[in-house]
Amino acid sequence: MSAPRRYEQIADLLAQRMAQGIYPVGDRLPSIRALCREQGISITTAQAAYARLEESGLAEARPRSGYYVLPQRRLEQLPRVSRPAQRPLEVSQWDQVLTIVEPVPGFQPLHRLGSGTPALDAATLRPLIQLLSDRYHATDARHLGYDSLAGDPALRLQVARLATASGCLLHPDDVLVTTGCQEALAIALGVLTSPGDVVAVDSPGFYGAMQILAAHGLKALEIPTDPRLGMSLEALELALEQWPVRAILVTPTCNNPLGYTMPDDRKRDLVALASRHDVAIIEDDIYGDLAFDSPRPPALKAFDKEERVLLCSSFSKTLAPGLRVGWIAPGRYRDQALHEKYVSTGASASPPQRAVAAFIDKGRYQRHLREICRRYRRQRDIMIEWVARHFPAATRISHPQGGFQLWLEMPEGFDSLQLNERLASERLQVAPGPMFSASGKYRHCLRLSYAASPTAELEAAVRRIGEIAGDLLDGEG
């Protein structure tokens, strides 16, 4: 056997340092030039060493930032492709959802790891807080009146400008401001469907969207979903041929809960498939701006030439949910969407809209995104490492490409509802898998948030959740 080449020796040295904890998960590795100086090697050799670490899944390159340590786990540990019941189903699980969004009085978890709340302690949010304060303390009474039904013109202009990053060419008049993304999704479904209709959804999918289906008397047709590629287009096409699907509801970018971003060619194919079957698409893009890689991935709407994609989003995950500022670009359905907006909430609150518009206009939003995405990426890697260390060995872990949610798949027979019951006495909480299915599937799965800053106390909480999960698997529950 020939002796290892120099770049292989350097790669092995760096891998050894990672294993020893000298370079912990999520940390930045030495720059190319720093490695060259330390080891007395050429830039080409250093680049080859890092390329070898990338191929081994030990490190990843981040544009204009450098190389970072990844959790040491194998690709086969990703969750399996989902296999939901491929027939229209009525949505249930409201009681489980209620325990997450509205905890029992008197029960205040120390760590709500099942929550969908972003990090609210980021220093980059302080200018927004000041802008909100200024508007609420203003003596100008116009802040107290009704705003335009379509939303504040300044905010709609900023949303249209931001949309160019996702490949969408929108005019401010194409945008309707809503009270959060939840209302945007409800408006889209109200425009497209009637009680009893069938809506195709990715599975597992966002439980809030599932509950809108239930409230509208709609049936969910869950489509198998790959943790890397997203909704199975082959299964979707079969469903469109077999069932009278009225709309496709999908989260293709930084998906919740699986974390994947559908590749561009599959996004294009999904829009083309919807066109062939003359079906509208409701695109939930609420996590899209939290993509870790640059440039931001294009939205489905970017491939839409027929205005059949209703693009829904908000600032609830990128900034703060308490703003209740969302929006919808409903394409050809604008007039119907405006009527739905009127009969649901009417005009949205003025001060938050104007504060967000000013925050974006001053360049604060993009600055915040850069900082918070760097933070979430690092915290993703740390949380993955903690789960790999403290959870049962058979646990499968997603690898989100954006956002702040992790999806865990335990062995069949595990009960995440029972896990949450056990955790309540220790003031801990996760999001049980059945919430993310119309039929209560994914009982052996759960979602964890990594929005909170990593601390020894938080790791102890993750360790305890893993211990109780192990007890349940061993039959000690």
Side-chain angles (χ1 to χ4, degrees):
M1 179 181 291
S2 60
R5 286 171 283 191
R6 183 61 174 148
Y7 77 89
E8 293 174 333
Q9 294 174 340
I10 299 299
D12 290 344
L13 174 64
L14 293 172
Q16 185 179 20
R17 290 177 178 178
M18 293 179 205
Q20 293 170 340
I22 297 173
Y23 300 136
V25 170
D27 271 19
R28 186 172 182 268
L29 290 163
S31 69
I32 293 287
R33 294 189 181 279
L35 189 62
C36 290
R37 288 195 298 270
E38 177 193 334
Q39 297 295 325
I41 56 177
S42 67
I43 290 177
T44 302
T45 300
Q47 290 172 332
Y50 276 129
R52 184 176 177 84
L53 290 176
E54 284 190 282
E55 291 170 2
S56 303
L58 298 177
E60 68 176 356
R62 300 178 187 172
R64 298 185 298 278
S65 184
Y67 292 88
Y68 288 77
V69 181
L70 287 176
Q72 296 186 27
R73 62 192 188 89
R74 299 182 301 278
L75 184 62
E76 62 264 31
Q77 290 177 310
L78 286 172
R80 298 176 180 85
V81 176
S82 65
R83 304 173 76 176
Q86 294 178 61
R87 64 182 186 279
L89 299 168
E90 293 183 356
V91 178
S92 54
Q93 321 333 313
W94 168 238
D95 289 344
Q96 297 163 22
V97 173
L98 188 60
T99 62
I100 296 297
V101 301
E102 193 72 27
V104 176
F107 173 63
Q108 290 297 326
L110 287 172
H111 298 287
R112 294 185 63 187
L113 288 165
S115 170
T117 302
L120 301 178
D121 60 349
T124 45
L125 287 178
R126 290 172 189 161
L128 176 61
I129 295 170
Q130 185 61 54
L131 287 166
L132 280 166
S133 177
D134 293 344
R135 276 148 185 81
Y136 277 111
H137 285 89
T139 56
D140 187 347
R142 70 189 178 92
H143 291 299
L144 302 178
Y146 286 117
D147 208 325
S148 164
L149 181 58
D152 180 69
L155 177 60
R156 290 188 284 118
L157 173 62
Q158 295 302 331
V159 168
R161 288 175 173 173
L162 289 176
T164 60
S166 62
C168 301
L169 298 178
L170 300 178
H171 187 275
D173 290 343
D174 297 329
V175 177
L176 305 180
V177 177
T178 61
T179 305
C181 190
Q182 192 79 349
E183 186 188 29
L185 296 173
I187 287 173
L189 285 165
V191 165
L192 298 172
T193 64
S194 299
D197 282 346
V198 177
V199 177
V201 298
D202 41 13
S203 181
F206 171 48
Y207 53 78
M210 296 286 186
Q211 293 306 314
I212 299 174
L213 297 182
H216 282 70
L218 304 171
K219 294 182 179 179
L221 179 57
E222 296 182 78
I223 306 298
T225 302
D226 185 285
R228 294 175 299 114
L229 303 176
M231 179 183 282
S232 167
L233 301 186
E234 298 75 17
L236 176 61
E237 185 157 28
L238 289 174
L240 292 172
E241 293 170 352
Q242 184 177 3
W243 303 100
V245 175
R246 292 289 298 166
I248 302 166
L249 174 56
V250 64
T251 308
T253 306
C254 306
N255 176 269
N256 173 27
L258 284 172
Y260 67 82
T261 291
M262 183 181 283
D264 293 355
D265 58 340
R266 293 182 68 83
K267 287 181 177 177
R268 186 180 292 106
D269 291 346
L270 173 54
V271 174
L273 178 60
S275 177
R276 288 199 303 273
H277 289 269
D278 193 24
V279 178
I281 299 175
I282 302 170
E283 179 177 12
D284 182 350
D285 193 53
I286 193 169
Y287 288 94
D289 280 353
L290 294 178
F292 295 149
D293 290 331
S294 182
R296 181 210 190 281
L300 283 177
K301 185 76 171 174
F303 304 104
D304 177 26
K305 307 303 180 185
E306 302 171 343
E307 295 195 327
R308 69 174 61 249
V309 176
L310 295 84
L311 180 62
C312 302
S313 190
S314 87
F315 298 98
S316 294
K317 306 303 181 184
T318 52
L319 296 177
L323 295 168
R324 308 313 303 137
V325 176
W327 54 271
I328 179 172
R332 63 171 79 169
Y333 306 98
R334 185 186 185 280
D335 291 345
Q336 301 98 305
L338 190 62
H339 182 256
E340 286 284 332
K341 169 65 177 168
Y342 174 72
V343 299
S344 58
T345 62
S348 297
S350 301
Q353 293 186 62
R354 291 169 184 160
V356 171
F359 187 73
I360 299 170
D361 187 50
K362 294 175 184 294
R364 302 284 191 177
Y365 181 68
Q366 293 295 352
R367 189 175 308 164
H368 172 70
L369 287 182
R370 287 193 295 272
E371 291 300 318
I372 205 68
C373 284
R374 277 198 287 266
R375 172 173 167 176
Y376 286 155
R377 186 199 285 261
R378 177 174 178 271
Q379 290 171 193
R380 173 202 65 182
D381 294 344
I382 292 171
M383 182 62 80
I384 288 174
E385 178 68 13
W386 286 352
V387 171
R389 186 185 310 159
H390 300 306
F391 271 62
T395 303
R396 291 174 173 264
I397 314 169
S398 67
H399 195 268
Q401 295 173 338
F404 48 85
Q405 309 286 4
L406 205 62
W407 183 253
L408 308 184
E409 180 185 328
M410 310 293 285
E412 291 288 347
F414 178 79
D415 190 337
S416 57
L417 295 175
Q418 189 177 3
L419 172 65
N420 237 11
E421 291 174 5
R422 285 279 305 274
L423 292 175
S425 63
E426 308 205 21
R427 298 178 64 192
L428 299 173
Q429 183 190 70
V430 299
M435 295 169 52
F436 301 88
S437 167
S439 62
K441 194 176 171 63
Y442 311 118
R443 205 174 181 100
H444 64 301
C445 299
L446 59 121
R447 190 189 72 178
L448 289 179
S449 169
Y450 50 84
S453 298
T455 62
E457 183 185 13
L458 184 60
E459 182 180 8
V462 173
R463 181 189 303 114
R464 186 61 185 139
I465 296 170
E467 289 171 352
I468 295 175
D471 292 343
L472 292 173
L473 278 175
D474 293 338
E476 299 176 17

